[in-house]
Amino acid sequence: IEFPAPQREVESDELLWKNCNDFLHTKLADAIVLTPEGETPHKGHYGDTRPGLPYWTWGRAIVLDPGEPVYQEFLIGQVKRHIEKLPDSSGFCIDRMDWLRLYNHQRDDGVSWFGDQAVRSLNTSWHDLMGKLAPIFHDAGKLVYVNNHVKRIDLLNQVDGIFDEFTYAGAPLNTIALMCVRKPCMGWMSRE
């Protein structure tokens, strides 16, 4: 992903899907979570973090707010297409829930406050999204698994199981064990 938006390459809106930058900046720009003013600039693991820039993540992707209506509509449409086109699929796995720890400083969810401003917690966004997606998944007989880097039990209300990326470490293993008393959990283990 490039930021700010590069010059658009795809002329037709019907073909936006062919270019990730064109699609993001044309259809989903409102969902981009920007680093807030006042945050200390630093060289992050995935890229520079400076106010006004997005939060970068693995593979030069950026963090989007699942509470933003345009992104929710996109995700709901994607799930419906998946169910229609791949009916034999058992379900879905949602990766990288660690970004739910952030706040969207350009939005207000009516309940969250960070520093001196009303914000939208991405945890609140997750609950809103999953309240809409989970019935679609479950009504179609599909399971929802997550890689829950953020180990909060309230984020698992609509989730059927966990794929844990940090099972080799003591604290995540113990936490996952308690979260999975009534849910299946599969964990990645180190070869060491």
Side-chain angles (χ1 to χ4, degrees):
I1 292 296
E2 295 179 41
F3 192 90
Q7 182 174 348
R8 185 168 159 167
E9 293 181 12
V10 177
E11 292 180 20
S12 166
D13 280 357
E14 292 78 35
L15 299 176
L16 281 174
W17 61 271
K18 290 188 171 190
N19 183 294
C20 65
N21 283 299
D22 289 346
F23 188 86
L24 171 72
H25 293 290
T26 301
K27 298 285 188 179
L28 303 177
D30 288 344
I32 298 171
V33 179
L34 299 175
T35 306
E37 291 299 323
E39 185 159 322
T40 304
H42 65 279
K43 183 79 169 167
H45 184 68
Y46 300 113
D48 288 340
T49 299
R50 292 192 317 265
L53 291 180
Y55 285 96
W56 299 101
T57 184
W58 186 84
R60 190 90 178 139
I62 61 174
V63 177
L64 300 180
D65 181 348
E68 192 62 32
V70 294
Y71 191 39
Q72 279 193 7
E73 290 171 22
F74 170 75
L75 293 171
I76 290 168
Q78 194 174 47
V79 165
K80 288 178 178 178
R81 280 189 304 281
H82 182 94
I83 290 168
E84 175 191 342
K85 304 289 185 188
L86 301 169
D88 293 332
S89 169
S90 297
F92 304 83
C93 184
I94 300 170
D95 196 10
R96 295 300 305 259
M97 290 176 64
D98 51 326
W99 296 109
L100 296 181
R101 73 186 188 283
L102 296 178
Y103 296 91
N104 185 341
H105 290 255
Q106 285 74 48
R107 301 291 183 264
D108 177 2
D109 62 19
V111 295
S112 301
W113 194 266
F114 189 90
D116 61 354
Q117 114 181 61
V119 295
R120 179 163 55 203
S121 165
L122 269 58
N123 287 316
T124 302
S125 295
W126 170 264
H127 285 293
D128 183 44
L129 174 67
M130 289 306 289
K132 297 169 185 171
L133 279 186
I136 298 169
F137 294 140
H138 294 138
D139 289 350
K142 307 295 182 186
L143 299 173
V144 182
Y145 275 66
V146 295
N147 183 8
N148 68 329
H149 289 44
V150 175
K151 310 284 191 236
R152 289 178 49 152
I153 200 159
D154 67 301
L155 299 177
L156 303 177
N157 290 342
Q158 308 282 355
V159 170
D160 300 302
I162 295 174
F163 287 118
D164 183 63
E165 188 172 342
F166 299 105
T167 310
Y168 56 84
L173 177 59
N174 289 337
T175 305
I176 289 297
L178 293 171
M179 292 180 151
C180 292
V181 171
R182 295 187 179 183
K183 295 180 189 290
C185 178
M186 292 176 257
W188 286 278
M189 298 298 294
S190 173
R191 291 182 177 229
E192 297 174 18

